Amino acid sequence: MQTTSPRGIDYLESIEGVVLKAYRDPVGIWTIGGGLTAASGVVTPRAGMVISRKEASRLLSLALKRSYEPRVRKTLGNVEQHAFDGAVSFDWNTGAIHRASWVKAFLNGNPTKARAKLMLWVKGGGRVLPGLKRRRREEADIILLNKWPAHVTIARNPSKPNVAFAGLAISLSPDEIDQVAEAFRIIGFDPGKTSGRISLIAVSEFQRKYDLRVDGIIGKATLSTLQRELDARKGAKKGAGGAAGGAAVAGGGEAVAPGTGLPDPTSLDPALLKWVGMAGGAIAGVYLLYLAWHYRDMIAARIANRLPRTAKFLRSF
């Protein structure tokens, strides 16, 4: 019985991203791990829920086993492993392999038509999403050519990101970063005045307020939450509900950010995901140091009786 290969799972996790603390996507659906919602049938994400990296992988594998792999096997029959892996990624994202027109072209040995049909699946909320276009191209290469994206190689060298600015786990142009910065400004978090960069403190404070993992990195959870807050304010101004349109596929559907000008949170950069975990810990540490410095007088007053030397040291700044 054919199952997703380790390489296929690695690709799926890299393109989906793995978020270990539950967050709400732009349409308000609680999500965790590799895009898992309650509709996946393997987990019911809720506010404050945190899982380990090992548990995230276990849940993803369980969802594949229960729903996606059986549907792909039934639809494609016996195919080469790379084709199966790419098809699983498509179905995880869309839940629609059983009705996708590219499948017939693929099974009939027409790769050109199959690729063209695959590239029709690039819309969310009524508009073309760059993240979906890239994903469909990669899936077509995997399915048709056994050509895998070089996501294990970090194209950009982020070995020591500037801790004054937020990190990115998504691929954004300078203009898109400025759009995100403006979104932070709109909801009351000063992103700073440097074009193409966003203040580490603004992002960290935003994450803390909205109960996200405080790592100073703009990733899927942060951008989804930001989008949802923008939509809420936009809806309030119109005197209507602020929830964005769009859909989340049961299991791993990508969040949709329609109609607000904010880059969609589907544009996860697989290369950057390899270093985000390491950089996140360092950035979180810097943020904690900042808080300690910012509230040094308050801390000194609280510890004066027990740690007088430390309190004196803090007051000397």
Side-chain angles (χ1 to χ4, degrees):
M1 184 170 63
Q2 196 166 26
T3 60
T4 312
S5 71
R7 193 177 194 183
I9 290 176
D10 180 64
Y11 172 71
L12 185 59
E13 288 189 335
S14 74
I15 199 69
E16 286 290 340
V18 179
V19 181
L20 302 182
K21 186 171 185 177
Y23 67 97
R24 287 195 288 169
D25 72 6
V27 297
I29 298 174
W30 283 104
T31 309
I32 202 166
L36 292 166
T37 68
S40 68
V42 299
V43 65
T44 303
R46 59 186 183 277
M49 175 184 257
V50 177
I51 60 176
S52 66
R53 184 64 178 78
K54 183 177 180 180
E55 177 67 0
S57 293
R58 187 190 74 81
L59 290 172
L60 182 141
S61 296
L62 185 59
L64 287 174
K65 182 179 180 180
R66 287 185 180 181
S67 302
Y68 300 94
E69 291 173 344
R71 189 158 54 228
V72 172
R73 285 195 296 266
K74 182 177 180 180
T75 303
L76 294 187
N78 187 26
V79 295
E80 293 184 85
Q81 185 63 52
H82 63 87
F84 186 86
D85 290 339
V88 165
S89 174
F90 173 85
D91 194 52
W92 181 272
N93 175 232
T94 65
I97 194 169
H98 56 291
R99 58 183 178 85
S101 58
W102 68 264
V103 172
K104 183 177 180 180
F106 169 72
L107 294 176
N108 287 339
N110 190 336
T112 301
K113 187 175 181 179
R115 181 180 291 272
K117 294 289 187 180
L118 259 168
M119 293 306 300
L120 296 176
W121 293 80
V122 295
K123 288 185 177 181
R127 67 188 181 98
V128 174
L129 300 180
L132 289 183
K133 287 181 67 176
R134 183 179 67 203
R135 181 166 184 161
R136 294 292 95 87
R137 285 195 297 267
E138 292 178 352
E139 288 168 349
D141 285 343
I142 293 170
I143 294 168
L144 303 173
L145 304 174
N146 193 17
K147 178 183 177 183
W148 294 77
H151 62 275
V152 295
T153 302
I154 301 177
R156 284 161 282 184
N157 181 13
S159 56
K160 287 188 177 181
N162 188 332
V163 295
F165 302 104
L168 291 174
I170 48 179
S171 181
L172 299 177
S173 68
D175 287 343
E176 288 174 327
I177 293 173
D178 288 342
Q179 291 173 8
V180 175
E182 180 59 25
F184 276 112
R185 183 177 288 107
I186 288 171
I187 62 174
F189 294 85
D190 183 7
K193 298 180 180 180
T194 303
S195 180
R197 300 284 187 92
I198 299 175
S199 164
L200 168 69
I201 302 304
V203 175
S204 298
E205 290 284 4
F206 174 84
Q207 291 171 332
R208 182 176 60 82
K209 178 177 179 179
Y210 290 96
D211 196 29
L212 302 172
R213 180 184 178 187
V214 181
D215 56 11
I217 294 173
I218 300 172
K220 198 169 187 177
T222 297
L223 192 55
S224 292
T225 304
L226 181 61
Q227 177 68 69
R228 186 164 43 79
E229 287 302 306
L230 276 180
D231 289 339
R233 283 161 173 74
K234 183 178 180 181
K237 287 183 179 180
K238 291 182 178 180
V249 176
E254 295 187 359
V256 175
T260 61
L262 197 63
D264 66 280
T266 69
S267 301
L268 287 169
D269 189 331
L272 292 177
L273 287 170
K274 293 297 180 179
W275 64 270
V276 160
M278 296 181 292
I283 293 173
V286 172
Y287 176 61
L288 289 175
L289 289 174
Y290 162 79
L291 289 179
W293 176 83
H294 187 75
Y295 297 105
R296 59 193 182 279
D297 291 335
M298 183 185 300
I299 295 172
R302 287 181 177 272
I303 66 173
N305 292 331
R306 289 176 296 162
L307 301 169
R309 291 185 179 179
T310 303
K312 182 178 180 180
F313 174 75
L314 289 174
R315 286 170 173 152
S316 66
F317 286 94

